[in-house]
Amino acid sequence: MSVNAKKLPITHFFLVAFLCLALGEEVKSPGKYPLVVSTWPFLEAVRAAWRTVDSGLSAMDAIVEGCSACEELRCDGTVGPGGSPDENGESTIDAMIMNGVTMEVGAVAAMRYVSDGIKAARLVMQHTKHTMLVGEQASVFAISMGLPGPTNLSSEESIDKWIKWKENKCQPNFRKNVLPVDDCGPYHAKNTVNLVENICTNSNWSDCGKLWSSHVSLHNHDTISMAVIDKLGHIAVGTSTNGATFKIPGRVGDGPIAGSSAYADTEVGACGATGDGDIMMRFLPCYQVVESMRLGMEPKRAAEDAISRIARKYPDFVGAIFAVNKNGVHAGACHGWTFQYSVRSPHMEDVTVYTIVPEIPTH
């Protein structure tokens, strides 16, 4: 497989670099620290994190600055306020931060009325003995700790998207085995006798997995997942998302789940993930990646392995992973879509984006 690269002009926002065939080549960073890696071409978020960590501040500080920049910019409409309305037209926030030195985690899920997801997650870590707070009580806590709110997290765009969805009889949605099938609720369960026909068994698992073909795409269901290694070699990760578009109210995806959307251990490395969180969180792919690297796998192989474990059970799932070890070697793997992840290291003039093309199975 081959790797091609193009330098990003400083004055140009877009870039295309490193088209990696199959699941992508492993890339080594000559001057390894500090290092910032993020899902997708969220360039301003990576730049914000880089400025912070390159100035000598901690990996944790850089995660907060990077993810906060994405929340403020509403990256792809899937991070921060104003995007991804749920069935009721409301936008909520999931976020998580993890310290790879202490293994502390702070997270918020389905948080209402507060737009600063990553800052709220860090406040959970700093000012509670808990790992996660959820819903409106997460909002109450965040506001009590000094974050702005309560704030309406919807926007004209998100409300317009929701109205059009309602006009389309609430299709597509995340309901299953309910009536009505092709209309908006209120919903109720189908006769349980009929559900027996839909039970998945080992013999029909492959076909059954296709029933869960998701409504996931780059612009309706996405996460910024970021890893930072600071000048001391300490590693932190963080995530932020407003979740799946038209999700059922109360839904929590993989974004605030340590080990699923991201994971870090300074002794080993880090991982970030994006995609269909409802499926991916069942496999804890980032925990798998870090533990595989602990056992000696290189980042590329660890990422490929974690993705393949999911694809064997859910061949139609959409998702991606980046992996980076403590030496700054990074790689990516994906399934169901083309994935891009962004990197900034000391030898780069600016952010570089790596493009990963999914492997086409051969039979």
Side-chain angles (χ1 to χ4, degrees):
M1 60 185 71
S2 61
V3 179
N4 297 313
K6 292 183 180 179
K7 289 290 186 179
L8 172 71
I10 298 296
T11 59
H12 200 286
F13 181 80
F14 296 100
L15 62 95
V16 178
F18 285 90
L19 177 60
C20 302
L21 300 179
L23 289 179
E25 291 284 7
E26 208 162 62
V27 183
K28 298 181 180 180
S29 296
K32 55 186 179 181
Y33 303 151
L35 182 72
V36 179
V37 186
S38 172
T39 52
W40 305 117
F42 295 150
L43 307 185
E44 294 306 322
V46 175
R47 288 171 181 147
W50 174 258
R51 286 192 296 269
T52 303
V53 72
D54 192 44
S55 72
L57 294 177
S58 71
M60 292 286 291
D61 293 329
I63 289 292
V64 172
E65 291 304 311
C67 290
S68 291
C70 218
E71 291 170 348
E72 293 169 9
L73 293 169
R74 303 182 180 185
C75 291
D76 276 347
T78 60
V79 180
S84 299
D86 64 18
E87 285 187 343
N88 294 334
E90 182 180 2
S91 294
T92 55
I93 303 293
D94 294 346
M96 183 270 287
I97 189 168
M98 181 174 187
N99 185 329
V101 177
T102 65
M103 309 307 284
E104 292 175 289
V105 175
V108 292
M111 185 172 68
R112 310 171 72 190
Y113 313 133
V114 175
S115 61
D116 298 307
I118 194 67
K119 291 179 181 177
R122 192 178 193 184
L123 288 171
V124 172
M125 179 190 291
Q126 291 174 323
H127 299 291
T128 81
K129 296 181 181 180
H130 301 310
T131 291
M132 181 188 297
L133 297 178
V134 303
E136 193 164 347
Q137 293 306 313
S139 312
V140 171
F141 168 79
I143 292 169
S144 75
M145 292 292 103
L147 292 183
T151 302
N152 182 359
L153 301 186
S154 298
S155 64
E156 290 185 10
E157 293 81 4
S158 68
I159 294 300
D160 182 61
K161 183 186 295 185
W162 176 71
I163 290 172
K164 290 179 179 177
W165 178 74
K166 296 283 284 187
E167 291 173 347
N168 194 43
K169 297 184 177 181
C170 302
Q171 301 299 314
N173 62 48
F174 289 91
R175 304 277 178 168
K176 69 176 184 179
N177 300 324
V178 298
L179 294 173
V181 175
D182 298 318
D183 208 343
C184 300
Y187 299 96
H188 60 274
K190 284 184 180 179
N191 188 319
T192 54
V193 173
N194 296 330
L195 294 183
V196 175
E197 301 174 1
N198 295 327
I199 292 176
C200 296
T201 63
N202 287 337
S203 61
N204 72 346
W205 184 261
S206 179
D207 291 335
C208 197
K210 295 178 181 178
L211 297 176
W212 285 295
S213 62
S214 63
H215 317 303
V216 176
S217 72
L218 175 58
H219 298 292
N220 74 356
H221 185 110
D222 192 26
T223 303
I224 180 171
S225 184
M226 177 179 284
V228 175
I229 307 178
D230 63 26
K231 291 183 176 182
L232 297 177
H234 297 164
I235 306 176
V237 292
T239 67
S240 185
T241 180
N242 50 43
T245 305
F246 312 130
K247 62 193 174 190
I248 299 170
R251 179 261 189 185
V252 174
D254 68 329
I257 308 300
S260 187
S261 64
Y263 197 73
D265 186 334
T266 291
E267 296 177 358
V268 181
C271 167
T274 181
D276 190 340
D278 288 298
I279 289 177
M280 296 179 78
M281 67 195 298
R282 302 168 191 176
F283 295 82
L284 296 179
C286 276
Y287 176 80
Q288 181 68 53
V289 164
V290 172
E291 291 309 302
S292 292
M293 291 193 297
R294 189 191 306 277
L295 295 175
M297 278 192 191
E298 291 300 313
K300 179 177 180 291
R301 181 71 188 102
E304 291 173 351
D305 175 70
I307 287 291
S308 68
R309 289 169 183 260
I310 306 172
R312 282 197 294 270
K313 293 291 187 179
Y314 295 94
D316 290 349
F317 103 97
V318 173
I321 287 172
F322 71 75
V324 56
N325 67 19
K326 64 181 181 181
N327 297 317
V329 179
H330 55 85
C334 60
H335 184 88
W337 59 6
T338 296
F339 172 55
Q340 292 181 305
Y341 71 96
S342 304
V343 178
R344 179 71 162 93
S345 66
H347 77 282
M348 298 175 179
E349 294 181 0
D350 198 2
V351 184
T352 298
V353 172
Y354 296 80
T355 299
I356 309 299
V357 179
E359 184 177 53
I360 300 175
T362 56
H363 300 286

Coordinates of all heavy atoms in Angstrom, one line a residue, residues 6-10 12-13 15 17 36 38 40-48 50 341-345 348-354:
K6 N 0.3 15.8 1.1 CA 0.4 17.2 0.7 C 0.4 18.1 1.9 O -0.4 17.9 2.8 CB -0.9 17.6 -0.2 CG -0.9 16.8 -1.6 CD -2.1 17.3 -2.4 CE -2.1 16.6 -3.7 NZ -3.3 17.0 -4.5
K7 N 1.2 19.1 1.8 CA 1.3 20.1 2.9 C 0.1 21.0 2.8 O -0.4 21.4 1.8 CB 2.6 20.9 2.8 CG 3.8 20.2 3.1 CD 3.9 19.8 4.6 CE 5.3 19.2 4.9 NZ 5.4 18.9 6.4
L8 N -0.4 21.4 4.0 CA -1.5 22.3 4.1 C -1.0 23.8 4.0 O -0.2 24.1 4.9 CB -2.3 22.1 5.4 CG -3.4 23.1 5.7 CD1 -4.6 22.9 4.7 CD2 -3.9 23.0 7.1
P9 N -1.4 24.6 3.1 CA -1.0 26.0 3.1 C -1.6 26.6 4.3 O -2.8 26.4 4.7 CB -1.7 26.6 1.8 CG -1.9 25.4 0.9 CD -2.2 24.2 1.9
I10 N -0.8 27.5 5.0 CA -1.3 28.1 6.2 C -2.6 28.9 6.0 O -3.4 28.9 6.9 CB -0.2 29.0 6.8 CG1 1.1 28.2 7.0 CG2 -0.6 29.8 8.0 CD1 0.9 27.2 8.1
H12 N -5.0 28.4 3.9 CA -6.0 27.7 3.3 C -6.7 26.8 4.3 O -6.0 26.0 5.0 CB -5.5 26.8 2.1 CG -6.6 26.4 1.2 ND1 -7.5 25.4 1.4 CD2 -6.8 26.8 -0.1 CE1 -8.3 25.3 0.4 NE2 -7.9 26.1 -0.5
F13 N -8.0 26.8 4.4 CA -8.7 26.0 5.4 C -8.8 24.5 5.1 O -8.7 23.7 6.0 CB -10.1 26.6 5.6 CG -10.9 25.8 6.7 CD1 -10.7 26.2 8.0 CD2 -11.8 24.9 6.4 CE1 -11.4 25.5 9.0 CE2 -12.5 24.2 7.4 CZ -12.3 24.5 8.7
L15 N -7.7 20.9 3.4 CA -6.5 20.2 3.0 C -6.9 18.7 2.7 O -7.8 18.2 3.3 CB -5.4 20.2 4.0 CG -5.7 19.6 5.4 CD1 -5.1 18.2 5.5 CD2 -5.1 20.5 6.5
A17 N -4.6 15.2 2.7 CA -3.2 14.6 2.7 C -3.3 13.2 3.1 O -4.3 12.7 3.8 CB -2.4 15.4 3.8
V36 N -1.1 16.1 18.9 CA -2.6 16.2 19.0 C -3.1 15.4 17.9 O -2.7 15.5 16.7 CB -3.1 17.7 18.8 CG1 -4.6 17.7 18.9 CG2 -2.5 18.6 19.9
S38 N -7.0 14.0 16.3 CA -8.5 14.2 16.4 C -9.2 13.5 15.3 O -8.7 13.4 14.1 CB -8.8 15.7 16.4 OG -10.2 15.9 16.4
W40 N -11.7 13.4 12.2 CA -12.2 14.4 11.2 C -11.3 15.6 11.0 O -10.4 15.9 11.8 CB -13.6 14.8 11.5 CG -14.5 13.6 11.7 CD1 -15.2 13.2 12.8 CD2 -14.8 12.6 10.6 NE1 -15.9 12.0 12.5 CE2 -15.7 11.6 11.2 CE3 -14.4 12.4 9.3 CZ2 -16.2 10.5 10.5 CZ3 -14.9 11.3 8.6 CH2 -15.8 10.4 9.2
P41 N -11.5 16.3 9.9 CA -10.7 17.5 9.7 C -11.2 18.7 10.5 O -11.6 19.8 9.9 CB -10.9 17.8 8.1 CG -11.5 16.5 7.6 CD -12.3 15.9 8.7
F42 N -11.3 18.6 11.8 CA -11.7 19.7 12.7 C -10.4 20.5 12.9 O -9.9 20.5 14.0 CB -12.3 19.1 13.9 CG -13.6 18.4 13.7 CD1 -14.0 17.3 14.6 CD2 -14.5 18.7 12.7 CE1 -15.1 16.6 14.4 CE2 -15.7 18.0 12.5 CZ -16.0 17.0 13.4
L43 N -10.0 21.3 11.9 CA -8.7 21.9 11.9 C -8.6 22.9 13.1 O -7.5 23.0 13.7 CB -8.5 22.6 10.6 CG -8.6 21.7 9.3 CD1 -8.2 22.4 8.1 CD2 -7.8 20.4 9.5
E44 N -9.6 23.8 13.2 CA -9.5 24.8 14.3 C -9.4 24.2 15.7 O -8.8 24.7 16.6 CB -10.6 25.8 14.1 CG -10.6 26.6 12.8 CD -9.3 27.3 12.6 OE1 -8.7 27.8 13.7 OE2 -8.8 27.4 11.5
A45 N -10.1 23.1 15.9 CA -10.1 22.4 17.2 C -8.7 21.9 17.4 O -8.1 22.0 18.5 CB -11.1 21.3 17.2
V46 N -8.1 21.3 16.4 CA -6.7 20.8 16.6 C -5.7 21.9 16.8 O -4.8 21.8 17.6 CB -6.3 19.9 15.4 CG1 -4.8 19.5 15.5 CG2 -7.2 18.7 15.3
R47 N -5.9 23.0 16.1 CA -5.0 24.1 16.3 C -5.1 24.7 17.7 O -4.1 25.1 18.3 CB -5.3 25.2 15.2 CG -4.9 24.8 13.8 CD -5.4 25.8 12.8 NE -5.0 25.4 11.4 CZ -5.7 25.7 10.4 NH1 -6.9 26.2 10.5 NH2 -5.3 25.3 9.2
A48 N -6.4 24.8 18.2 CA -6.6 25.3 19.6 C -5.9 24.4 20.6 O -5.2 24.9 21.5 CB -8.0 25.4 19.8
W50 N -3.4 22.4 20.0 CA -1.9 22.5 19.8 C -1.3 23.8 20.4 O -0.3 23.7 21.1 CB -1.6 22.5 18.3 CG -0.1 22.7 18.0 CD1 0.5 23.9 17.6 CD2 0.9 21.8 18.2 NE1 1.8 23.8 17.5 CE2 2.1 22.5 17.9 CE3 1.0 20.5 18.6 CZ2 3.4 21.8 17.9 CZ3 2.2 19.9 18.7 CH2 3.4 20.5 18.3
Y341 N -8.7 11.6 9.9 CA -8.3 12.1 11.2 C -7.2 13.1 11.0 O -6.4 13.1 10.1 CB -8.0 11.0 12.1 CG -6.7 10.2 11.9 CD1 -5.5 10.5 12.5 CD2 -6.6 9.1 11.0 CE1 -4.3 9.8 12.3 CE2 -5.4 8.4 10.8 CZ -4.3 8.8 11.4 OH -3.1 8.1 11.2
S342 N -7.1 14.0 12.0 CA -6.2 15.1 11.9 C -5.1 15.0 13.0 O -5.3 14.6 14.1 CB -6.9 16.5 12.2 OG -8.0 16.6 11.2
V343 N -3.9 15.5 12.6 CA -2.7 15.4 13.5 C -1.9 16.7 13.4 O -1.7 17.3 12.4 CB -1.8 14.2 13.1 CG1 -0.5 14.1 14.0 CG2 -2.6 12.9 13.1
R344 N -1.4 17.0 14.6 CA -0.4 18.1 14.7 C 0.7 17.7 15.6 O 0.5 17.3 16.7 CB -1.0 19.4 15.2 CG -0.1 20.6 15.3 CD 0.3 21.2 14.0 NE 0.9 22.5 14.1 CZ 2.2 22.8 14.2 NH1 3.1 21.9 14.3 NH2 2.5 24.1 14.3
S345 N 2.0 17.8 15.0 CA 3.1 17.4 15.8 C 4.2 18.4 15.6 O 4.1 19.3 14.7 CB 3.6 16.0 15.4 OG 4.1 16.0 14.1
M348 N 5.5 19.3 12.0 CA 4.5 19.8 11.0 C 4.4 21.3 11.1 O 4.4 21.9 12.2 CB 3.2 19.2 11.3 CG 3.1 17.7 11.1 SD 1.5 17.0 11.6 CE 1.7 15.3 11.3
E349 N 4.2 22.0 10.0 CA 4.0 23.4 10.0 C 2.6 23.7 10.4 O 2.3 24.8 10.9 CB 4.3 24.0 8.6 CG 5.7 23.9 8.1 CD 5.9 24.5 6.8 OE1 5.0 25.0 6.2 OE2 7.1 24.5 6.3
D350 N 1.7 22.8 10.1 CA 0.2 23.0 10.5 C -0.4 21.6 10.5 O 0.3 20.6 10.4 CB -0.5 23.9 9.4 CG -1.8 24.5 9.9 OD1 -2.1 24.2 11.1 OD2 -2.5 25.2 9.1
V351 N -1.7 21.6 10.7 CA -2.4 20.3 10.8 C -2.3 19.5 9.5 O -2.4 20.1 8.4 CB -3.9 20.6 11.2 CG1 -4.6 19.3 11.4 CG2 -4.0 21.5 12.4
T352 N -2.1 18.2 9.7 CA -2.2 17.3 8.6 C -3.4 16.4 8.7 O -3.6 15.9 9.8 CB -0.9 16.5 8.5 OG1 0.2 17.4 8.3 CG2 -0.9 15.5 7.3
V353 N -4.1 16.1 7.6 CA -5.2 15.2 7.7 C -4.9 14.0 6.9 O -4.3 14.0 5.8 CB -6.5 15.9 7.0 CG1 -7.6 14.9 6.9 CG2 -6.9 17.1 7.8
Y354 N -5.2 12.8 7.6 CA -5.0 11.5 7.0 C -6.3 10.9 6.6 O -7.3 10.9 7.4 CB -4.3 10.6 8.0 CG -2.9 11.1 8.4 CD1 -2.7 12.1 9.4 CD2 -1.8 10.5 7.9 CE1 -1.5 12.5 9.7 CE2 -0.5 10.9 8.2 CZ -0.4 11.9 9.1 OH 0.9 12.4 9.5

